[in-house]
Amino acid sequence: MSESLDSGPRPQAPTTALRQRLAELRGPAAQPRPLDARALAALAANPGCERRALLDGAGVDKAALATALGSPATFGQSQFAFMRGNAFEAKVKSDGGTELLRLMGVDSGADVRVPDLSAAGPEGRAARTALALREATAEAAWTLLDHPMLALEVAGSPAYLEPDAVVVAPDGRWTVVEIKSFPMIDASADASKVGAAARQAAVYVLALERVATLTAGSQVAHDILLVCPKDFSNLPTASVVDVRKQLSVTRRQLARLTRVEDIAAALPEGTTFDPQCTPEQLTAAVESVDAAYAPECLAACELAFHCRERARTAGVVGALGRGLRGELGGLTTIGDVLAAARGTAGDADDPAVAALRRAAALRAEALEAAGCH
């Protein structure tokens, strides 16, 4: 991996052969979909899913693919919510970020710099962002980076990420700012939504740490600033969220991802995920890549309904939840579980098998005592 004084350690660029292979997987007319922090957080939460790693790494439009397979995704942000979120973000950042800096406790009279981060393409914007971070740190001035571009290598492919904002303090501390449109009522917001925001922000922190390794005097904060509407108004309020746990998990899980080129190399000749293909061809292509479905995928992946149907048909234990899948160890199908419980299969010394047989015996005793046959 090469290094650059303008952008920090650069993600390894795909080779020409790999770029061509990924373009073939997308289809000749399909443009690559960018891999954003939300998708990365979902991918990190399920590193064993080679299907998602390949599709995201190749930039495949999973929503279009799911529709072509006959299992369209039903989640996503409505246009109204999207517009409301943009309006709230604009309000928070108005007047050169005065309101945002106030929420961070910065004096209203402080000199705040807002550098221009425009450049050609994501690589250029990432380089310009890294330069602005170094300049702000060297000048020891409050600096607001509005929609900076950060780079991160994921499964051997570069991903470009765009947080809502990054604030540089005079002491060289870099803080990620997440602006969300869900309300914070009585200084508390929905725990699941805060958790999702923290996982997303952890990806940004991880990318910022790359640049910080080449920036003297810098320190990436592991506390992010979450800005939301206060109560039922449109007035912004903020809360500091510690993302060290999410950062540790994300770093470990991303490191476990199989490289995209290795997954692509194992595919049958001529495999493509072009939505213009027939449903039969697409089904064969999708099934050629291993998936690790779990109920949590329903809120994070466009292909979740397709994968759920396949998992249920195959009787995969993971369809009942990751926790149960972990508890059952080597028993990967519901058939295996039932056979182990009945005593017709499985190693009696396996703790999972022993627990299943004990549970089956207790059930039989309870039914006999109740007079059931």
Side-chain angles (χ1 to χ4, degrees), residues 321-347:
R322 290 178 187 147
L324 183 59
R325 182 176 65 190
E327 290 288 340
L328 292 173
L331 302 174
T332 58
T333 69
I334 294 175
D336 292 340
V337 172
L338 294 177
R342 297 188 188 106
T344 58
D347 182 358

Side-chain angles (χ1 to χ4, degrees), residues 8-173:
R10 289 183 183 272
Q12 184 67 44
T15 63
T16 301
L18 178 58
R19 285 198 299 267
Q20 182 177 349
R21 180 66 177 121
L22 297 182
E24 292 171 354
L25 291 175
R26 289 192 301 271
Q31 293 298 314
R33 301 279 294 184
L35 186 59
D36 60 17
R38 185 173 299 178
L40 271 182
L43 186 58
N46 192 10
C49 188
E50 294 188 356
R51 183 176 297 170
R52 174 152 197 169
L54 177 65
L55 295 176
D56 282 347
V60 174
D61 186 342
K62 298 196 299 298
L65 179 59
T67 299
L69 287 168
S71 302
T74 59
F75 71 90
Q77 194 174 41
S78 69
Q79 188 64 24
F80 173 75
F82 183 75
M83 293 174 61
R84 182 183 61 189
N86 284 345
F88 179 68
E89 181 178 336
K91 178 181 179 66
V92 172
K93 294 179 179 178
S94 62
D95 296 327
T98 302
E99 180 66 14
L100 176 55
L101 272 296
R102 183 191 68 78
L103 292 172
M104 294 191 70
V106 180
D107 187 272
S108 58
D111 180 28
V112 179
R113 304 181 184 186
V114 185
D116 180 11
L117 302 179
S118 59
E123 289 186 4
R125 289 186 59 201
R128 181 67 189 91
T129 295
L131 180 60
L133 284 166
R134 279 190 288 275
E135 290 176 343
T137 303
E139 294 169 4
W142 282 107
T143 305
L144 171 62
L145 274 62
D146 186 6
H147 282 288
M149 183 67 73
L150 306 172
L152 189 66
E153 184 175 299
V154 180
S157 294
Y160 293 95
L161 314 169
E162 189 176 3
D164 293 327
V166 171
V167 174
V168 180
D171 62 0
R173 187 177 178 87

Side-chain angles (χ1 to χ4, degrees), residues 70-359:
S71 302
T74 59
F75 71 90
Q77 194 174 41
S78 69
Q79 188 64 24
F80 173 75
F82 183 75
M83 293 174 61
R84 182 183 61 189
N86 284 345
F88 179 68
E89 181 178 336
K91 178 181 179 66
V92 172
K93 294 179 179 178
S94 62
D95 296 327
T98 302
E99 180 66 14
L100 176 55
L101 272 296
R102 183 191 68 78
L103 292 172
M104 294 191 70
V106 180
D107 187 272
S108 58
D111 180 28
V112 179
R113 304 181 184 186
V114 185
D116 180 11
L117 302 179
S118 59
E123 289 186 4
R125 289 186 59 201
R128 181 67 189 91
T129 295
L131 180 60
L133 284 166
R134 279 190 288 275
E135 290 176 343
T137 303
E139 294 169 4
W142 282 107
T143 305
L144 171 62
L145 274 62
D146 186 6
H147 282 288
M149 183 67 73
L150 306 172
L152 189 66
E153 184 175 299
V154 180
S157 294
Y160 293 95
L161 314 169
E162 189 176 3
D164 293 327
V166 171
V167 174
V168 180
D171 62 0
R173 187 177 178 87
W174 302 353
T175 302
V176 171
V177 178
E178 274 289 275
I179 302 174
K180 298 297 185 182
S181 59
F182 56 81
M184 196 174 292
I185 301 173
D186 292 334
S188 179
D190 183 276
S192 62
K193 293 180 179 179
V194 173
R199 289 189 293 272
Q200 185 176 335
V203 177
Y204 298 136
V205 172
L206 191 60
L208 270 179
E209 288 182 342
R210 294 180 52 259
V211 187
T213 59
L214 296 180
T215 306
S218 65
Q219 178 186 2
V220 182
H222 293 162
D223 296 326
I224 65 110
L225 188 73
L226 177 63
V227 182
C228 301
K230 183 178 181 180
D231 298 326
F232 300 100
S233 70
N234 200 38
L235 297 174
T237 187
S239 176
V240 175
V241 179
D242 187 340
V243 298
R244 282 177 296 181
K245 178 180 179 181
Q246 291 83 354
L247 180 63
S248 176
V249 171
T250 300
R251 184 184 287 112
R252 182 174 66 252
Q253 299 293 62
L254 289 181
R256 289 178 55 198
L257 289 175
T258 305
R259 292 177 63 86
V260 169
E261 58 186 318
D262 295 335
I263 303 174
L267 296 178
E269 186 78 21
T271 298
T272 179
F273 303 101
D274 187 349
Q276 302 302 318
C277 293
T278 65
E280 292 74 20
Q281 291 173 318
L282 289 175
T283 298
V286 168
E287 294 305 311
S288 68
V289 192
D290 290 338
Y293 171 79
E296 293 86 348
C297 296
L298 293 171
C301 183
E302 294 86 344
L303 282 178
F305 288 103
H306 173 83
C307 296
R308 180 179 66 175
E309 179 184 355
R310 294 288 167 168
R312 286 177 171 177
T313 300
V316 177
V317 168
L320 303 177
R322 290 178 187 147
L324 183 59
R325 182 176 65 190
E327 290 288 340
L328 292 173
L331 302 174
T332 58
T333 69
I334 294 175
D336 292 340
V337 172
L338 294 177
R342 297 188 188 106
T344 58
D347 182 358
D349 293 330
D350 185 332
V353 173
L356 286 169
R357 291 180 180 174
R358 176 60 177 159

